[in-house]
Amino acid sequence: MSGFILVGLLGIEPSLYAPEAHVLPVYDSPRLRVNLTIQLKPKKRTLSMSHGTRIGYNARYMPRVKRAEKLKEYDLETRYLGERIDLRKVQENLKNYKFLNHNHPLVVEIGEDQYAVLTRFGTVSLWNVKESAARAFLKELAPYVETGSVLHRHIDTLKIFIGPGEEHATFEDLFINKLDTEKIKIISYVSAQSVALDRYEEEINVHLHELGRVVAAMKAGGKTRFDQSEILQQVGSVLSVKQRTVSQLSLFDKPDEAWDKEDIEWLYDKLRSEYELRDRFDVLNEKIDFLSENNALLLNYLSSQRSNFLEIVVIILIIVEIALFIVELLKA
């Protein structure tokens, strides 16, 4: 019965088929036996069912299997260079390179299918750039990078595949259908935010370690070896981390491209989720609040100590003045 159904669906006359064929059993049971027969001819193939009904079709109607296309690969490496990059001076002075845009982040074409993306908060993202070309470019870029007193070396890598198929992203790999300047900007921007967060997390962890030594010293001997200027310097450093994280990284501001195009918005949100930028900022913010509270306690402690010292000095001066007055009375 299934043979007649298939003939009806295909709309082909049973007389089209050759009687000779090779029979292969494809389904066997006590109640039903189905055999499949395939006969190859120059322009015709024949299928038959052992029920007595044959099925034929022209070979030109057979679906062709599309060969898998090779995906284009990009290796992305984002490095932290310093506190700030002057993008305006970079565009004015690096005349040997082609700039694909003139806003932030700045996309620079190093060579064929090789790009560098610069951010104002001190990172560079290199796309398929060989090490020799990267060294040459970074050497030319160095005069426009503002570095701090401490060098921070943080690197993030990502492998990008371009080609047909379902788009998806992980922490290490990204699969997208096509690549353009806007996507290069967004991918590099999120990677740069992650690297900058690593740098700020490192600085806050250093302050936490210093606070731990102070607390340990107070616990062991009840004495502290720091003054108010050191505490104020620490407070300023901690607050500057929070200010740079909020204002420069713009973690809460969606790029303009993400507002205009749905595919860019999906890419931006997906990468932010994979890099856990919001969660990492929340943890960093909690550490900053913890340091701020403890530094405030230490400042209050130092202030009370200074007040006690001044009170003692005043008392001593009063005693000295009374003593001198008594001496004058005795002489009189």
Side-chain angles (χ1 to χ4, degrees):
M1 181 176 179
S2 60
F4 287 103
I5 294 173
L6 192 51
V7 169
L9 290 174
L10 294 175
I12 302 174
E13 295 292 333
S15 60
L16 294 176
Y17 312 116
E20 65 276 11
H22 180 66
V23 180
L24 297 174
V26 296
Y27 182 82
D28 197 356
S29 73
R31 300 181 59 185
L32 177 65
R33 179 182 297 273
V34 178
N35 295 324
L36 175 66
T37 304
I38 301 177
Q39 181 182 23
L40 299 179
K41 287 190 176 182
K43 288 189 178 181
K44 183 179 291 186
R45 296 180 184 177
T46 304
L47 293 176
S48 71
M49 308 295 287
S50 61
H51 293 62
T53 305
R54 293 181 178 178
I55 309 162
Y57 56 91
N58 197 301
R60 70 172 180 268
Y61 296 114
M62 284 290 289
R64 295 182 179 179
V65 179
K66 189 177 181 180
R67 292 183 179 179
E69 297 184 18
K70 186 178 180 181
L71 297 176
K72 193 171 185 178
E73 297 183 16
Y74 288 89
D75 290 317
L76 172 64
E77 181 181 274
T78 301
R79 305 180 185 180
Y80 186 86
L81 301 181
E83 302 299 321
R84 184 175 176 272
I85 298 177
D86 193 329
L87 301 183
R88 182 180 60 82
K89 289 185 178 179
V90 169
Q91 296 179 73
E92 291 174 354
N93 295 281
L94 298 188
K95 301 295 186 179
N96 299 329
Y97 301 98
K98 180 181 178 181
F99 298 96
L100 302 185
N101 68 322
H102 297 284
N103 54 2
H104 179 259
L106 184 65
V107 183
V108 186
E109 187 175 14
I110 304 295
E112 185 178 358
D113 271 344
Q114 299 180 51
Y115 310 99
V117 183
L118 310 177
T119 64
R120 56 175 172 247
F121 48 83
T123 66
V124 57
S125 298
L126 302 172
W127 290 66
N128 273 7
V129 181
K130 296 180 180 179
E131 187 59 33
S132 57
R135 284 198 299 268
F137 177 73
L138 294 178
K139 185 176 180 181
E140 295 184 59
L141 184 65
Y144 316 108
V145 179
E146 180 183 327
T147 59
S149 57
V150 179
L151 291 177
H152 299 271
R153 301 193 180 277
H154 296 281
I155 296 177
D156 176 68
T157 58
L158 183 67
K159 207 166 190 64
I160 298 115
F161 298 91
I162 314 297
E166 182 182 357
E167 294 187 332
H168 63 276
T170 66
F171 184 73
E172 297 178 348
D173 302 311
L174 173 65
F175 295 81
I176 54 178
N177 298 142
K178 64 178 182 178
L179 186 68
D180 53 24
T181 303
E182 290 181 342
K183 290 186 178 180
I184 291 174
K185 284 178 58 178
I186 292 299
I187 296 168
S188 302
Y189 187 52
V190 177
S191 178
Q193 287 178 320
S194 177
V195 168
L197 269 179
D198 287 339
R199 175 255 183 273
Y200 297 144
E201 288 167 355
E202 180 188 37
E203 182 174 346
I204 291 300
N205 288 334
V206 170
H207 289 305
L208 285 172
H209 180 69
E210 293 175 355
L211 177 63
R213 289 193 294 110
V214 171
V215 172
M218 294 176 66
K219 181 180 178 181
K223 296 181 180 180
T224 57
R225 295 181 180 179
F226 58 87
D227 55 23
Q228 190 169 358
S229 62
E230 292 178 354
I231 298 298
L232 288 174
Q233 186 178 5
Q234 234 187 59
V235 170
S237 179
V238 170
L239 292 178
S240 70
V241 169
K242 189 168 186 177
Q243 182 269 332
R244 282 176 290 170
T245 305
V246 175
S247 63
Q248 295 186 19
L249 295 191
S250 303
L251 291 175
F252 308 111
D253 299 330
K254 187 177 293 187
D256 294 338
E257 295 83 359
W259 290 103
D260 299 333
K261 297 183 179 180
E262 291 184 2
D263 58 336
I264 299 294
E265 182 180 16
W266 173 86
L267 182 61
Y268 177 71
D269 292 338
K270 185 63 177 176
L271 288 174
R272 276 175 56 89
S273 174
E274 290 296 328
Y275 280 102
E276 299 179 342
L277 295 184
R278 184 56 189 257
D279 293 338
R280 289 165 59 190
F281 173 77
D282 290 340
V283 173
L284 181 66
N285 195 38
E286 288 182 6
K287 291 180 179 179
I288 290 174
D289 291 341
F290 174 77
L291 282 171
S292 300
E293 291 175 3
N294 282 273
N295 286 333
L297 289 174
L298 291 175
L299 284 174
N300 290 333
Y301 171 75
L302 289 175
S303 179
S304 64
Q305 277 195 329
R306 174 171 291 187
S307 298
N308 292 337
F309 174 75
L310 291 175
E311 289 177 1
I312 292 172
V313 169
V314 170
I315 292 172
I316 291 174
L317 289 176
I318 292 173
I319 292 173
V320 169
E321 187 176 354
I322 293 173
L324 291 175
F325 178 73
I326 292 174
V327 169
E328 290 294 329
L329 287 177
L330 291 174
K331 285 181 179 181

